[in-house]
Amino acid sequence: MTDIRKLLDELGIKESNPGACAGEWISVAGGRELVSINPADGTPIAKVVQADEAAYEQVVTTAQTAFSSWRMMPGPQRGLIVRELGDALRTNKEHLGRLVSLEMGKILSEGLGEVQEMIDMCDLAVGMSRQLSGLTMHSERSRHRMYEQWHPLGIVGIITAFNFPVAVWAWNAAVAAACGDTMIWKPSSSTPLTAIAVQNIVNPIMKRHGLEGIFNLTIGSGSLVGERMINDRRVPLVSFTGSCDMGRHVSEAVARRFGRSILELGGNNGVIVTDDADQDLALRAILFAAVGTAGQRCTSLRRLFLQKGAAPAMTQRLVSAYGSIPIGDPLDPGTLMGPMVNEAAVQSYLSAIDTIREQGGEILYGGRRLDRPGYYVEPTLVRAHAGMEITRDETFAPILYIFEFDELEQAIALHNSVDQGLSSAIFTSNLYTAERFLSHEGSDCGIANVNIGTSGAEIGGAFGGEKDTGGGREAGSDAWKAYMRRQTCTINWGRELPLAQGVTFDVEG
Ligand code: UN1
């Protein structure tokens, strides 16, 4: 049993907490309260007094002032600050991981994994802080040198979703800090306490170095804080994780003022299993991808394409595995599937089940809410057909659609036929088939795997998707470039002034 009060104490969370921080916590007199609910039993955990307009202004002004000095600190020195953040997260891993599970509902192993992802991001960003390098080019003009350099960008707005309440902040925050940016975090209203806990971990480090105002927080409604941020010219980059619909709105608002956005929107991820695949491996991967995090990852597996030969056995094995998944308190070490995040998520699951039936889907397992306190549902398997419109939408719940196919081409076409393009995988033992899936005429997603599932990506690669998933890339590889501004510099060290492209413009004078 987790002693909740003790856990909250360890992370500096009180019964009622201020929802904004800019170097120091800002109390908003008469601010609207937000209650964080434990999805495992529906009881309140603690309250947050949300940011208002004045608090938002204070946060932006502080972040602006902090930027003017932070950007002048050498990258590797900024990296050392990020390293301290990583160390503090190591110290707090157990507590913060537990709080993630308590507030969001993912199982403890995943809650801890999420904090590990933050730590990994810090390590990666420490290295990046020494590698923010640009190219040099050979100028076409004699005695000219050309190169590009990367400057810090400014304030980064980070709008995160409930399902990865802390890791996605770290994807952005660790990199933005290494790049010399300051930031304002707007977490999901379903998971404000994990954000407060993270801020409490960050604050003493920054205070010790006199660097307050780099990592800032505003907890508040989308209509107040979110709208302000996306329309605010002082915030040159907005990273948004959430639905395609909201992402379209964010993207339009930010583009209207010529800001930049990084969009991490919905997925509708598919796995293709061929007859020649290692079926045991595929089964394990499918279960984690479809049932893990109660189907509430943007990378969760939603569509499974089984080749006809292996389909009957695999379907049978899935039905029986689904029946043996331990569902319950996410903090109980025996649990593999926790609750949905809130009542609205349960309702959207139930309404999807109705629609599946109306559209001719056959429920092979699940389809019901569990009769107990909290927001529990059964993981659900559906025999689906290509005409079912609902399979084109992302329902953020543990519902897996099974399709059967004869030829690989047919499976790839069906796989690519949806609007979203985040993550994809194929299970096969055939080299030709694997490479075909990874080729230009294969998967159209931002992530394509062979013999591993769709979820659980490592931070070393750039994470994100194509089409309606929004095209953003975060975390590793060269994703840092989005957090900086590129400058192309040409230096003439000769005594002549040749013009590019051979243009002449000789004026007497
Ligand atoms: C998300 O669901 O928003 O690849 C991110 C994964 C995790 C990140 C998921 N590393 O499943």
Side-chain angles (χ1 to χ4, degrees):
M1 270 297 285
T2 298
D3 181 339
I4 293 179
R5 194 54 264 168
K6 198 158 163 268
L7 177 65
L8 298 180
D9 282 347
E10 294 283 359
L11 293 163
I13 295 170
K14 306 180 189 70
E15 246 164 74
S16 178
N17 305 273
C21 184
E24 56 193 40
W25 290 101
I26 303 167
S27 26
V28 175
R32 285 181 49 198
E33 279 186 348
L34 176 68
V35 181
S36 174
I37 302 289
N38 177 355
D41 60 11
T43 60
I45 308 171
K47 283 187 278 199
V48 176
V49 181
Q50 299 189 91
D52 60 2
E53 291 151 44
Y56 174 80
E57 265 314 304
Q58 187 178 334
V59 170
V60 175
T61 317
T62 307
Q64 259 185 322
T65 311
F67 176 62
S68 54
S69 47
W70 182 238
R71 67 179 166 185
M72 293 309 292
M73 184 187 272
Q77 284 183 33
R78 294 192 300 257
L80 294 180
I81 304 294
V82 177
R83 190 172 86 172
E84 286 191 39
L85 175 57
D87 288 343
L89 288 166
R90 280 184 171 87
T91 311
N92 286 280
K93 179 175 170 182
E94 180 71 27
H95 292 135
L96 187 56
R98 273 184 187 275
L99 182 67
V100 167
S101 292
L102 177 73
E103 190 178 40
M104 181 276 164
K106 63 176 67 176
I107 61 170
L108 183 56
S109 154
E110 291 187 56
L112 294 170
E114 198 174 329
V115 184
Q116 187 58 48
E117 193 160 342
M118 301 175 86
I119 296 167
D120 296 343
M121 266 321 296
C122 289
D123 287 353
L124 184 74
V126 176
M128 275 179 185
S129 73
R130 288 185 177 268
Q131 299 177 81
L132 305 171
S133 50
L135 299 171
T136 62
M137 298 85 181
H138 282 228
S139 171
E140 66 189 54
R141 289 171 276 186
S142 113
R143 296 193 164 81
H144 279 56
R145 185 164 71 85
M146 232 175 130
Y147 76 104
E148 62 184 18
Q149 56 176 349
W150 295 86
H151 293 295
L153 189 61
I155 303 177
V156 181
I158 306 173
I159 304 177
T160 55
F162 78 87
N163 64 333
F164 273 81
V166 291
V168 172
W169 172 80
W171 291 0
N172 288 278
V175 173
C179 290
D181 298 329
T182 58
M183 66 209 81
I184 304 173
W185 183 13
K186 184 206 155 327
S188 158
S189 297
S190 302
T191 51
L193 301 181
T194 48
I196 289 174
V198 169
Q199 192 71 43
N200 279 335
I201 292 169
V202 169
N203 281 350
I205 300 168
M206 303 316 278
K207 199 176 164 68
R208 195 159 59 238
H209 291 281
L211 288 170
E212 295 96 334
I214 290 158
F215 300 97
N216 306 289
L217 179 66
T218 47
I219 297 171
S221 67
S223 56
L224 198 149
V225 172
E227 284 302 314
R228 275 199 160 55
M229 195 186 269
I230 63 180
N231 289 297
D232 194 335
R233 293 183 69 95
R234 296 168 296 180
V235 182
L237 173 66
V238 175
S239 155
F240 174 81
T241 303
S243 68
C244 295
D245 285 346
M246 263 320 283
R248 191 167 282 114
H249 171 66
V250 168
S251 160
E252 283 171 5
V254 175
R256 205 172 298 126
R257 60 178 176 85
F258 297 116
R260 288 192 216 160
S261 48
I262 302 177
L263 302 172
E264 299 285 352
L265 313 178
N268 193 354
N269 315 299
V271 161
I272 297 173
V273 183
T274 59
D275 287 345
D276 60 43
D278 177 335
Q279 303 292 317
D280 297 340
L281 198 75
L283 177 71
R284 282 171 49 208
I286 292 164
L287 289 170
F288 175 64
V291 178
T293 333
Q296 299 173 106
R297 289 191 189 213
C298 54
T299 51
S300 289
L301 173 59
R302 317 232 174 261
R303 299 177 301 137
L304 177 61
F305 305 95
L306 300 177
Q307 198 161 19
K308 286 239 168 85
M314 178 60 89
T315 306
Q316 198 41 54
R317 290 177 77 183
L318 280 168
V319 170
S320 101
Y322 266 53
S324 67
I325 286 162
I327 304 173
D329 184 344
L331 288 164
D332 178 338
T335 301
L336 285 184
M337 186 176 134
M340 307 295 288
V341 67
N342 55 28
E343 181 60 31
V346 175
Q347 291 308 321
S348 117
Y349 164 90
L350 291 172
S351 118
I353 299 291
D354 288 344
T355 311
I356 288 165
R357 290 209 168 93
E358 280 161 30
Q359 294 183 357
E362 183 192 345
I363 309 268
L364 300 172
Y365 185 88
R368 289 170 310 181
R369 176 183 202 148
L370 295 189
D371 184 18
R372 64 169 86 160
Y375 310 118
Y376 292 96
V377 302
E378 287 176 330
T380 301
L381 276 174
V382 178
R383 197 192 301 281
H385 59 85
M388 287 171 64
E389 274 301 309
I390 190 164
T391 65
R392 308 181 61 78
D393 296 332
E394 178 190 49
T395 301
F396 223 58
I399 300 173
L400 179 61
Y401 302 112
I402 303 179
F403 303 86
E404 293 188 12
F405 71 93
D406 290 304
E407 299 297 329
L408 181 63
E409 311 306 309
Q410 187 196 351
I412 292 177
L414 193 54
H415 173 272
N416 289 350
S417 70
V418 295
D419 291 336
Q420 309 86 346
L422 180 54
S423 187
S424 60
I426 193 163
F427 283 79
T428 179
S429 303
N430 180 310
L431 181 68
Y432 160 77
T433 307
E435 292 290 340
R436 169 76 179 76
F437 181 72
L438 299 175
S439 76
H440 300 327
E441 47 184 12
S443 162
D444 62 0
C445 291
I447 297 171
N449 298 330
V450 176
N451 292 340
I452 63 166
T454 50
S455 65
E458 298 178 22
I459 51 105
F463 181 93
E466 300 299 323
K467 304 193 287 184
D468 286 13
T469 303
R473 290 296 187 275
E474 287 175 351
S477 183
D478 65 351
W480 61 269
K481 289 180 176 171
Y483 300 80
M484 303 198 83
R485 64 183 169 84
R486 183 198 308 241
Q487 189 167 61
T488 303
C489 308
T490 310
I491 298 155
N492 176 5
W493 57 277
R495 302 271 176 205
E496 308 289 324
L497 192 72
L499 300 179
Q501 294 89 42
V503 172
T504 52
F505 199 86
D506 294 329
V507 189
E508 294 293 322

